Amino acid sequence: MALATNGDATGHLARGKVNVNDRALVDKVLARYPKEFTVFRELIQNADDAQAKSVEIEFQTKEYLVADEGTAHVSDLKTIQLARWVLRNDGDPFTLKDWERITNIADGNPDERKIGAFGVGFFSVFSVTDCPVIISGGTRARIFYENNELLVESGLYATTRDWTIFEMDLKPEADLTIPKPFDLSRFISTAVTFLVNVNNVTVLFNGSVLSKITKSRGEPTKIELPQGLKPTSPSKVFEVTSVKAIAQQVKVNISGQAYRIGSNSHSFRKKGKQHVDPVTKPSFFGKKSSESNSCHIHPETSAKNFSLSYMVYSADVSTCPPPRMAGGIEVATKKKPPKTFLFEAAHFALSEYQSVRSDHDRMQCLNSIFMGPQGLLSERDDEHEAKLFVGQSTTETTGIAVHLSSRFIPTVERGSIDLANGQVRKWNEELLYVGGFMARLIYERGMSVVRNEWSSQPDQARKEGLFLMKSFTFRSSPDSNVAGLLQKAFFECTPNLPFPIVSNLGVRDSKDVRKPNETFASFMKQRPVLDLVPETEGMIATLPKWYKVSDYTFRDIVDELNQRVFMEEEMVAFTTWWIKICVARWGDGITDGGDEVKLQFNQASKRFRPTLRKSEHDIILLSDIRKFVDGRGWGSYIRAEDPLPPNTIPIPFTSRLDPLAVRTVLGWEELSIVDWIQHISGSITNPDYRRMLEILQSQWPSLKSPEREKIISLLQNVDCILTSHGLKKPNEAYFPEADLFGDLPVIRSLDFNEQMLQEFGVKRFIPWSGVKEHLPHPRCTPYQLAVYLDRAHDVMTTEDRVELQQMAIFAGTDSALHCIADLYAPSPWDADLKLPVIEWPDTYAPTGSPGYLDRLIHLGLKTYPPLDVIIRKASSEENSMRKAAFTFLLTYMNSLYSSEYDPADFQHVAFVPCGKLRHLRLGTPEQVFTSSEWELLGFERLHYSVSKEQAACLKIKDRPPASAIVQVLRESPPRHYRQAQSWFELLARKGGFTAEEMKEIAELNIVPVHTGGDTGSVKLVRPRQCFLEKPDDSNAHHRQLFNFVMFNHAASNFLKLCGAKPKPDYNDILEVLLQDPLAYLDKAKPSKYLDDLRQVAVGYHNLSTETKTKMRNAEIFLGYCRKRDPDALRSAESTQCALRRAREILIADDMESHRLFGEYVLVAPKEEVFDNFYRAMGSANLSVHVSHTIEVEDTLSKKGEDLRSHVLRRVKIFLYDQENTRRSDVRIDKWHKPEHFRVEHCKRLRITKRLDFEDALEGDHSKLTTLCDALAGIETTREGNHILDRIFTGHMNRRLIFHRSVSVALCRLLFKTRKAHDASSLMTILDASLDDLRRRGYDGGSISSVINT
């Protein structure tokens, strides 16, 4: 049965079209591409394939595209929004095939010389645009989407430049901000590294250049390939036919505008690597620093230039792939494998790296353009970030510090090379072998340079070598196979060649180098040792077994011992190591194995030069040694230069070894002290007996009797004791105290053990009876006497010692002879204190046993001056002695004088230093104080050189007593403002005055104030005479009348305590008024004088009786009188004022009288306060001095009962609210009876008014009496009754005038003291109705009582 074909049931085939969503397809391809700078990478590579030399990348804004003449100004590149990217190149224009391929996805370039292989690189532009435009060779093509299908429209297009142009209008979802020019320039500077044609790339914005990248190459130099390098890959697919070295330089210029934008790259530079001025940090001025990885810098306008020179190694590679591989490659890349191509590697020497690192570290924020992400160099020391290039950089790293570029076949997105796809994988693996070959070639050439430089510049050569080893230490990469294959090829391409590395002796074969070992470092000098530093650890760990660095072997040590003569310290180190090895193997108890150990030691140990040798030819053979010096016993006193027997090893050999191990391993015996003394005393020419005795005396107490006896026996007949007469036998020598007169052979040194010397036979002294008869003797010094006394003390009698005290035989430093009690023991202060000091060998450090001097002290020698002596010297005018004495007093006050020192005993002795550094003075303990504050008032302050503790010992007070301060204020008050302020401020803080003392200060003239004359003229006033607040403009006259001072708060507070006030009160004003009232008036003017007098008027009740009496008799009261110009109108009058006593001034209580007589009297100011004040001080009312005489003509019989009733009622209302104290004796309560008060009418009423006042002003006395007609008046009868007279006119048209006349008359009658408004008030009450009075506010109760009455 036949199988049915896929189709319908009848077997007929149905065909249809496969639909492709172009937009989705492109997006999926783009999703695998790296995000950053992908478009530029692909288009620059296309330009290089097109033979372009120059490329331009321009970013354009919408404003720029529509602006006139193609310009648009932008102030800040950070915030601009781009509209279009443009990329231009000057390469070959598009051919017809190029146009066809550009519009076909996955239709790669079949040219085997070109990098492009998959035909998808151009479509990376769709990551930023939906409608790219290509202009090339006079044709313009636009590619765009329509219903998710890519379409192309093209046509002819004329341009001014024969360049290929790619225009990309940015799609809305694309990033519209400009890529950081700094980061883009860094990417491009790396991208051009291995490009064949492109040498110049310019980045522009709106027609302005942001950066320019230029690459240049020098002439190539052919490299001879070292013999042993395998230039053929393992499967013989590739063969390196030649290699050239090419010097390459990349220059980058970035405009200031582009540099200001900063970078998005994060810096990995280590903290603390460079100093950053804190002022440059934003947080220094309180601004928060950004947490973003983006780096922004301060505005700069200048362009930045970067340059990097390095070497590119270019290898010519021929290919011979097997057919299967060639076919697989063609299928994968759409082109045949190239027959030849270049394999290039870029490596940076130490100097090039350091140059970039230096620029990198100097920059405050941005990295070097060549260092960092996507840069040529890594900024992280612990990682290699060199890349594999396929035309452009991939994301794949090489694992070493070498960039590699060749015809690797990448993955479609060009992010890495393909190590997964069959034949492509084999191609790439074979090509990676060439990479390892190139790396090894570069490494070998570098190490060759280091080897040649080592002899002339070892330090620099070492740095370069270590850097080279670090650069070629393979580290992991994103695909570990890449680094692994490169590392395998690196080591296996030269299987028969040595591998050079850096050692302590230069560049050596790794197999000849040993690992560092402190154990052998001290004596192994010829074997090279690995320079084990962090830079080399990685490479050493990855070396294959045939290149491994090994540890030291015993053969190495034997070889070195046989090859050279060791120095002593080297042989010591070797022997130390050998003993440790032997002990570790056989232990300390080696007996049976001793011969074997010695045999091995003899084979390994040969000869050495001792440190202390007579000539360069002195060599010691270890086989000749039999003894050693044990440093744990008496041998510890033997020095290296001390002579030893010939069969004894030098001391450094065994000083650090265990003596037991030396005996058991080396078979040597310990040198005894008897052996050494025998060698010194019998076998050496001119031995150092002093040195021998020094060692002997250190061991003498511990020596056993047989040893002592043997040594005494050996030295008894040897001239070994150094005396004043040369070397003597022990029994011929004397101790120094025995030779008082200089004629005996005495031992020269007092450092030797006396007991030992006595056992040798040295004599100590001669009897006192044989000494005193020669005293005084010029050769017998006090020291010699002291030593003799110390030795002979036990055999001297009391009489002998008394006799010695009374003898003037002790020489002083003044060369005179004194009794012992008159001298002082030597001490450091003797010279400055000028004390009579005993003559002694060393003035400051008595020689010999302190007991010698103690003998003289017990005999009467003084050790320090008494208290009165030292204080007397401390008050001396001689500067040096005074200083020394005072220093001595302070130093020893507690230990010597504290119990007897009392400042009162020396109150008249000025010995305490005080004052300033250059003006030091002396004062008594009662005159000097520790606090410096009181210097302001002239008190002496203890000198700064005296500490607080010392001041306490001297019982110096902190401050002067208050009584002394008051005395200073009284006798020497401050003379100017600044001095006074500082004084008062101090006294406010620390015055400490009693109430009585404050009263006393308040009465002292201590406040300086300006007199108003010359600028510097001041006077002193009491505190209560000055005021602390500056008067305002309303009291500006006070500035001339009172003393105002402006001190600080503290000083002002003190003055307040002393009675000063903020501003003058009535007491102060009165005091000045009483002194000179006319001057006060002249300065204050009448209005302000009156204001101040008002204050006195208000407060005068509080004044003393004495003050009030002075006021009554003083012309301080201001009075006013009217003055009228006779020639002027009647209304044109003025007021004059004058100062008088109060009794010479009247109180204007009667306005009518004042109107009549105001020209002839002085009246008080018209205020109630002044009325009361003037009246209290003696002023009388004007009405008292004006008499009224009424003349009535033609009395009428008409009764005035209505008027009488009206007046009575209204007077009661008027008096209801009046003060009783002003009322006269008139009894108005009787007026209800007609006989006591009646009203009479007349035709004419005249009143004569007369002023009777003895202090009236001079003038026309005829005018002191006046006669005038009146409408009303009041007479008083002899019986005390009152008659109201009024003129009867028959009508009331003049009612107001009448009521006024009545009011004036009544007020004169009712009040003893009248007020100016009394008559007006009464007139109002007389004239108004009762309802009107209620509305005006008069008391309703008084009105009601009147009505009821």
Side-chain angles (χ1 to χ4, degrees):
M1 180 177 179
L3 295 175
T5 59
N6 293 332
D8 56 16
T10 63
H12 295 288
L13 298 178
R15 294 186 179 183
K17 181 182 178 182
V18 176
N19 295 318
V20 178
N21 187 323
D22 293 344
R23 183 187 294 271
L25 177 62
V26 170
D27 288 345
K28 290 182 183 295
V29 172
L30 293 179
R32 301 183 64 187
Y33 272 74
K35 296 297 183 183
E36 192 173 26
F37 306 140
T38 302
V39 175
F40 307 119
R41 182 188 71 181
E42 297 297 337
L43 295 184
I44 290 175
Q45 182 62 55
N46 290 347
D48 191 66
D49 289 342
Q51 311 297 320
K53 299 297 182 183
S54 299
V55 174
E56 291 181 356
I57 300 171
E58 183 173 3
F59 303 102
Q60 299 175 345
T61 61
K62 182 178 181 181
E63 292 78 9
Y64 175 76
L65 294 173
V66 301
D68 293 338
E69 300 180 2
T71 59
H73 175 71
V74 175
S75 60
D76 188 359
L77 289 179
K78 298 178 184 178
T79 59
I80 56 97
Q81 297 288 298
L82 297 177
R84 175 181 292 174
W85 289 3
V86 180
L87 190 141
R88 312 178 185 93
N89 70 72
D90 62 353
D92 298 336
F94 272 37
T95 64
L96 182 60
K97 290 184 178 181
D98 292 331
W99 286 112
E100 291 176 354
R101 282 197 305 271
I102 204 73
T103 56
N104 287 280
I105 299 177
D107 190 4
N109 191 336
D111 190 344
E112 64 184 40
R113 296 169 299 173
K114 308 297 185 181
I115 295 297
F118 303 109
V120 296
F122 166 75
F123 286 88
S124 63
V125 300
F126 285 97
S127 63
V128 296
T129 184
D130 285 334
C131 54
V133 173
I134 306 171
I135 303 171
S136 181
T139 301
R140 179 182 185 275
R142 184 171 74 94
I143 306 174
F144 59 94
Y145 286 109
E146 186 173 291
N147 298 325
N148 294 326
E149 183 179 4
L150 276 177
L151 301 178
V152 181
E153 64 178 19
S154 62
L156 297 179
Y157 189 82
T159 59
T160 57
R161 299 173 69 186
D162 191 16
W163 284 40
T164 297
I165 304 172
F166 297 86
E167 294 180 351
M168 293 156 276
D169 290 338
L170 301 181
K171 54 187 178 182
E173 63 269 23
D175 185 0
L176 301 182
T177 59
I178 188 171
K180 300 290 186 181
F182 187 90
D183 296 339
L184 179 58
S185 300
R186 174 191 285 144
F187 166 78
I188 295 172
S189 67
T190 302
V192 300
T193 303
F194 298 111
L195 292 182
V196 178
N197 299 297
V198 174
N199 293 325
N200 297 284
V201 180
T202 304
V203 180
L204 305 98
F205 169 73
N206 284 355
S208 299
V209 175
L210 296 180
S211 68
K212 188 170 185 179
I213 299 90
T214 304
K215 181 190 75 174
S216 60
R217 283 192 172 186
E219 290 296 324
T221 302
K222 186 175 181 181
I223 298 175
E224 294 296 332
L225 299 181
Q227 293 294 328
L229 280 179
K230 293 170 53 179
T232 305
S233 64
S235 298
K236 303 188 183 305
V237 176
F238 304 113
E239 181 180 2
V240 177
T241 59
S242 66
V243 180
K244 298 180 289 294
I246 306 172
Q248 180 160 296
Q249 184 182 45
V250 178
K251 294 182 179 180
V252 181
N253 175 272
I254 300 181
S255 69
Q257 185 182 25
Y259 189 79
R260 284 197 298 272
I261 304 179
S263 169
N264 285 328
S265 300
H266 178 72
S267 176
F268 290 94
R269 62 182 83 188
K270 294 180 180 180
K271 293 183 179 180
K273 196 149 192 176
Q274 74 176 66
H275 169 73
V276 179
D277 186 349
V279 177
T280 65
K281 296 181 180 180
S283 60
F284 182 80
F285 295 102
K287 299 179 181 180
K288 294 184 177 178
S289 60
S290 175
E291 296 297 331
S292 171
N293 286 342
S294 179
C295 183
H296 304 284
I297 62 175
H298 297 294
E300 263 189 71
T301 57
S302 60
K304 299 294 180 182
N305 294 302
F306 301 88
S307 177
L308 176 61
S309 298
Y310 53 94
M311 193 66 68
V312 173
Y313 296 87
S314 181
D316 293 311
V317 180
S318 63
T319 66
C320 186
R324 185 177 181 185
M325 178 182 289
I329 297 302
E330 187 172 1
V331 169
T333 63
K334 307 300 185 292
K335 64 179 72 176
K336 294 181 179 181
K339 295 180 180 180
T340 61
F341 57 84
L342 295 178
F343 194 115
E344 294 191 330
H347 171 64
F348 303 90
L350 175 61
S351 59
E352 297 156 358
Y353 178 83
Q354 288 178 333
S355 175
V356 175
R357 170 60 72 179
S358 176
D359 292 340
H360 181 72
D361 289 342
R362 275 200 307 270
M363 303 182 76
Q364 291 184 355
C365 186
L366 297 186
N367 303 330
S368 168
I369 197 73
F370 301 114
M371 184 170 282
Q374 302 194 49
L376 283 170
L377 295 170
S378 172
E379 66 172 335
R380 294 185 286 191
D381 292 337
D382 57 342
E383 292 187 19
H384 299 318
E385 296 180 353
K387 299 291 197 302
L388 284 180
F389 284 68
V390 185
Q392 296 287 303
S393 171
T394 66
T395 59
E396 189 64 66
T397 60
T398 64
I400 55 176
V402 179
H403 296 287
L404 299 176
S405 174
S406 192
R407 296 302 294 271
F408 294 102
I409 300 176
T411 55
V412 174
E413 74 281 359
R414 299 170 65 89
S416 59
I417 64 174
D418 191 345
L419 291 177
N421 182 18
Q423 299 302 321
V424 172
R425 174 180 60 81
K426 293 180 180 179
W427 171 279
N428 285 335
E429 288 177 349
E430 289 285 300
L431 197 52
L432 284 173
Y433 173 85
V434 179
F437 172 89
M438 293 292 290
R440 181 60 178 270
L441 176 63
I442 297 171
Y443 179 81
E444 292 284 347
R445 280 177 54 82
M447 279 300 177
S448 177
V449 173
V450 173
R451 182 184 289 108
N452 294 333
E453 292 180 352
W454 195 279
S455 59
S456 60
Q457 297 179 328
D459 291 340
Q460 182 61 29
R462 175 182 177 273
K463 293 178 182 177
E464 293 177 358
L466 294 176
F467 178 78
L468 198 62
M469 293 179 68
K470 176 183 175 182
S471 298
F472 286 88
T473 299
F474 286 86
R475 296 188 171 93
S476 61
S477 59
D479 187 341
S480 60
N481 289 329
V482 173
L485 291 169
L486 286 171
Q487 180 178 359
K488 186 173 184 296
F490 179 79
F491 288 116
E492 293 182 357
C493 68
T494 59
N496 299 321
L497 289 182
F499 188 76
I501 61 173
V502 175
S503 73
N504 63 327
L505 299 180
V507 178
R508 294 290 191 272
D509 181 3
S510 62
K511 293 184 291 184
D512 294 334
V513 179
R514 297 294 178 260
K515 294 179 181 178
N517 191 317
E518 291 295 328
T519 302
F520 305 102
S522 57
F523 59 90
M524 294 295 289
K525 303 299 182 182
Q526 291 184 344
R527 175 66 63 178
V529 178
L530 179 66
D531 201 341
L532 191 56
V533 292
E535 290 88 337
T536 65
E537 290 177 353
M539 172 172 279
I540 299 303
T542 59
L543 288 176
K545 61 182 179 181
W546 59 90
Y547 288 144
K548 284 292 185 183
V549 176
S550 62
D551 293 317
Y552 279 103
T553 65
F554 185 69
R555 185 72 256 169
D556 295 332
I557 299 171
V558 172
D559 289 343
E560 183 141 353
L561 287 169
N562 290 330
Q563 290 170 4
R564 67 185 182 92
V565 177
F566 278 30
M567 298 304 293
E568 181 177 303
E569 61 272 13
E570 296 172 346
M571 187 57 74
V572 169
F574 165 73
T575 306
T576 302
W577 169 78
W578 180 247
I579 290 176
K580 289 181 179 178
I581 292 297
C582 291
V583 171
R585 291 181 60 187
W586 297 285
D588 293 340
I590 300 176
T591 56
D592 297 336
D595 292 337
E596 181 183 351
V597 173
K598 290 180 180 179
L599 178 60
Q600 295 183 36
F601 178 75
N602 289 333
Q603 289 178 345
S605 303
K606 297 300 180 183
R607 58 204 184 281
F608 72 92
R609 289 189 178 92
T611 302
L612 298 176
R613 56 186 181 274
K614 297 178 180 178
S615 69
E616 290 296 324
H617 303 289
D618 288 349
I619 295 176
I620 294 178
L621 300 176
L622 290 186
S623 59
D624 296 337
I625 300 301
R626 297 291 180 267
K627 294 187 178 183
F628 73 98
V629 177
D630 188 352
R632 297 182 304 178
W634 77 273
S636 63
Y637 292 91
I638 298 293
R639 295 196 291 257
E641 64 271 17
D642 290 331
L644 295 174
N647 63 347
T648 304
I649 193 73
I651 293 175
F653 245 89
T654 53
S655 60
R656 291 171 293 172
L657 301 178
D658 181 14
L660 178 59
V662 172
R663 294 188 188 97
T664 56
V665 176
L666 303 179
W668 297 341
E669 298 177 354
E670 180 183 355
L671 179 71
S672 69
I673 192 170
V674 176
D675 294 336
W676 184 69
I677 294 296
Q678 187 172 6
H679 174 67
I680 294 295
S681 62
S683 304
I684 297 179
T685 304
N686 298 323
D688 187 354
Y689 286 114
R690 178 183 179 85
R691 174 69 180 147
M692 179 195 72
L693 292 175
E694 287 177 351
I695 296 176
L696 265 180
Q697 77 166 357
S698 66
Q699 297 299 308
W700 197 257
S702 61
L703 292 179
K704 298 179 181 179
S705 296
E707 293 175 313
R708 290 188 182 188
E709 293 172 359
K710 180 63 175 175
I711 293 172
I712 292 173
S713 174
L714 288 172
L715 299 177
Q716 192 61 42
N717 295 316
V718 177
D719 291 331
C720 61
I721 305 299
L722 183 62
T723 71
S724 58
H725 293 179
L727 288 173
K728 295 291 183 181
K729 297 177 178 61
N731 58 5
E732 296 174 350
Y734 291 85
F735 283 99
E737 62 269 25
D739 187 27
L740 296 180
F741 312 113
D743 55 355
L744 296 176
V746 297
I747 59 177
R748 286 287 183 87
S749 176
L750 299 179
D751 297 332
F752 297 134
N753 186 308
E754 294 183 2
Q755 181 63 33
M756 179 186 73
L757 293 179
Q758 282 183 300
E759 292 185 30
F760 285 172
V762 180
K763 300 181 178 69
R764 290 185 60 86
F765 60 88
I766 57 178
W768 168 250
S769 58
V771 173
K772 65 179 181 179
E773 61 186 20
H774 294 90
L775 298 176
H777 192 281
R779 294 181 63 90
C780 185
T781 65
Y783 175 74
Q784 289 173 312
L785 279 172
V787 175
Y788 176 81
L789 287 173
D790 186 69
R791 300 294 187 232
H793 182 269
D794 293 337
V795 298
M796 290 182 69
T797 64
T798 303
E799 291 76 10
D800 292 338
R801 285 192 285 272
V802 172
E803 182 181 11
L804 181 59
Q805 288 175 330
Q806 297 173 352
M807 295 176 67
I809 60 174
F810 295 92
T813 53
D814 56 357
S815 301
L817 295 177
H818 303 268
C819 291
I820 191 64
D822 297 331
L823 295 174
Y824 288 86
S827 58
W829 52 80
D830 290 336
D832 292 334
L833 294 180
K834 296 185 178 179
L835 297 171
V837 180
I838 192 169
E839 181 184 290
W840 205 253
D842 187 342
T843 304
Y844 301 102
T847 304
S849 171
Y852 299 160
L853 198 59
D854 290 341
R855 291 297 181 191
L856 297 183
I857 293 172
H858 293 157
L859 201 63
L861 183 69
K862 293 187 178 68
T863 56
Y864 65 90
L867 179 61
D868 60 332
V869 173
I870 198 65
I871 288 184
R872 187 173 66 251
K873 288 183 176 291
S875 64
S876 171
E877 295 180 357
E878 187 176 344
N879 190 44
S880 61
M881 183 170 69
R882 175 184 56 75
K883 287 183 178 179
F886 188 72
T887 300
F888 183 89
L889 177 63
L890 294 178
T891 304
Y892 297 99
M893 173 63 81
N894 288 332
S895 59
L896 301 178
Y897 305 121
S898 59
S899 61
E900 57 178 314
Y901 173 75
D902 185 351
D905 297 338
F906 305 100
Q907 57 182 328
H908 301 300
V909 181
F911 69 93
V912 181
C914 54
K916 304 295 184 181
L917 177 63
R918 297 183 179 179
H919 303 284
L920 186 141
R921 297 180 294 276
L922 297 178
T924 69
E926 302 295 331
Q927 296 173 336
V928 180
F929 306 96
T930 60
S931 175
S932 61
E933 295 179 310
W934 300 104
E935 290 181 294
L936 289 173
L937 276 67
F939 292 102
E940 296 291 355
R941 183 221 176 190
L942 186 64
H943 197 259
Y944 76 95
S945 61
V946 183
S947 68
K948 293 182 178 179
E949 294 76 11
Q950 293 169 339
C953 291
L954 294 174
K955 302 179 182 179
I956 303 299
K957 299 176 182 177
D958 178 67
R959 51 158 291 160
S963 59
I965 299 173
V966 174
Q967 183 178 354
V968 169
L969 291 173
R970 182 187 300 107
E971 298 176 357
S972 302
R975 294 301 176 183
H976 53 79
Y977 168 81
R978 293 181 62 184
Q979 185 183 32
Q981 176 164 280
S982 60
W983 283 29
F984 298 157
E985 185 178 4
L986 172 63
L987 295 177
R989 289 187 291 108
K990 295 190 175 182
F993 301 106
T994 64
E996 292 300 320
E997 289 167 340
M998 290 301 297
K999 288 182 180 179
E1000 185 177 357
I1001 294 173
E1003 297 302 321
L1004 299 178
N1005 293 322
I1006 60 173
V1007 184
V1009 296
H1010 290 288
T1011 59
D1014 297 336
T1015 304
S1017 179
V1018 297
K1019 66 177 179 178
L1020 294 172
V1021 300
R1022 289 170 291 175
R1024 66 181 186 81
Q1025 292 178 313
C1026 58
F1027 305 94
L1028 306 176
E1029 292 183 5
K1030 186 177 180 180
D1032 54 21
D1033 293 340
S1034 63
N1035 291 314
H1037 61 289
H1038 283 181
R1039 301 170 190 169
Q1040 304 179 58
L1041 296 167
F1042 299 96
N1043 302 311
F1044 290 93
V1045 292
M1046 298 293 110
F1047 290 114
N1048 61 23
H1049 181 72
S1052 298
N1053 283 342
F1054 174 74
L1055 291 177
K1056 287 180 181 178
L1057 294 175
C1058 296
K1061 304 172 186 175
K1063 53 188 177 182
D1065 60 11
Y1066 66 92
N1067 273 305
D1068 306 302
I1069 293 173
L1070 178 59
E1071 183 178 354
V1072 178
L1073 282 176
L1074 290 174
Q1075 291 175 0
D1076 191 348
L1078 289 176
Y1080 198 111
L1081 179 63
D1082 180 62
K1083 294 175 181 178
K1085 305 309 177 188
S1087 62
K1088 296 301 180 181
Y1089 187 98
L1090 187 63
D1091 290 343
D1092 291 349
L1093 192 63
R1094 185 179 293 108
Q1095 292 189 51
V1096 178
V1098 171
Y1100 83 95
H1101 300 92
N1102 300 320
L1103 298 174
S1104 65
T1105 302
E1106 181 182 359
T1107 302
K1108 291 179 180 179
T1109 301
K1110 290 182 180 179
M1111 291 172 61
R1112 291 188 180 95
N1113 296 317
E1115 294 183 349
I1116 63 172
F1117 297 92
L1118 196 64
Y1120 296 88
C1121 68
R1122 293 177 178 173
K1123 292 296 180 182
R1124 184 182 296 113
D1125 186 354
D1127 300 327
L1129 297 175
R1130 181 175 182 82
S1131 61
E1133 62 181 19
S1134 60
T1135 301
Q1136 292 185 351
C1137 62
L1139 294 177
R1140 294 291 188 274
R1141 293 186 289 271
R1143 61 176 176 268
E1144 299 176 30
I1145 299 174
L1146 299 176
I1147 299 171
D1149 61 333
D1150 184 353
M1151 295 298 102
E1152 180 64 19
S1153 298
H1154 185 241
R1155 182 182 65 80
L1156 295 174
F1157 305 112
E1159 298 179 51
Y1160 310 107
V1161 295
L1162 291 172
V1163 297
K1166 296 179 180 180
E1167 293 182 27
E1168 184 175 355
V1169 67
F1170 285 118
D1171 290 349
N1172 297 333
F1173 176 50
Y1174 275 54
R1175 187 175 291 112
M1177 293 295 104
S1179 294
N1181 290 339
L1182 175 60
S1183 60
V1184 174
H1185 292 277
V1186 176
S1187 59
H1188 290 68
T1189 304
I1190 299 177
E1191 297 178 7
V1192 179
E1193 295 182 4
D1194 300 329
T1195 301
L1196 302 176
S1197 60
K1198 180 176 175 62
K1199 302 298 180 180
E1201 187 60 30
D1202 293 340
L1203 177 60
R1204 176 177 176 278
S1205 298
H1206 180 77
V1207 169
L1208 283 177
R1209 288 194 298 270
R1210 298 307 170 89
V1211 165
K1212 290 183 179 180
I1213 294 173
F1214 172 65
L1215 293 178
Y1216 187 83
D1217 291 329
Q1218 300 299 323
E1219 303 172 29
N1220 291 330
T1221 56
R1222 295 197 300 127
R1223 297 278 297 277
S1224 65
D1225 297 333
V1226 175
R1227 297 282 300 276
I1228 65 169
D1229 56 334
K1230 295 181 179 181
W1231 282 10
H1232 65 283
K1233 296 179 179 181
E1235 61 269 22
H1236 292 294
F1237 178 70
R1238 66 180 183 273
V1239 176
E1240 293 183 354
H1241 292 79
C1242 61
K1243 290 184 177 181
R1244 186 178 185 183
L1245 181 67
R1246 303 181 68 186
I1247 301 176
T1248 300
K1249 299 181 180 180
R1250 179 180 180 82
L1251 176 66
D1252 186 10
F1253 183 50
E1254 63 179 351
D1255 293 311
L1257 301 177
E1258 296 182 359
D1260 188 354
H1261 286 277
S1262 64
K1263 295 182 180 180
L1264 299 183
T1265 302
T1266 180
L1267 178 66
C1268 58
D1269 292 328
L1271 295 178
I1274 293 181
E1275 295 179 275
T1276 302
T1277 64
R1278 293 180 180 178
E1279 294 80 12
N1281 298 323
H1282 299 90
I1283 302 173
L1284 174 61
D1285 298 314
R1286 60 163 295 181
I1287 296 176
F1288 178 74
T1289 59
H1291 58 80
M1292 297 298 295
N1293 292 335
R1294 302 174 68 185
R1295 188 178 68 178
L1296 285 176
I1297 299 175
F1298 169 73
H1299 284 163
R1300 177 171 179 79
S1301 298
V1302 173
S1303 298
V1304 170
L1306 286 173
C1307 287
R1308 289 185 64 252
L1309 181 66
L1310 296 174
F1311 296 109
K1312 292 186 293 183
T1313 59
R1314 277 175 283 174
K1315 297 182 180 179
H1317 57 79
D1318 286 346
S1320 300
S1321 299
L1322 181 55
M1323 181 186 72
T1324 299
I1325 294 173
L1326 289 174
D1327 187 64
S1329 66
L1330 293 178
D1331 291 337
D1332 190 21
L1333 289 177
R1334 287 191 184 95
R1335 286 192 297 271
R1336 293 187 183 187
Y1338 282 91
D1339 184 84
S1342 62
I1343 295 175
S1344 299
S1345 64
V1346 170
I1347 295 174
N1348 295 333
T1349 303

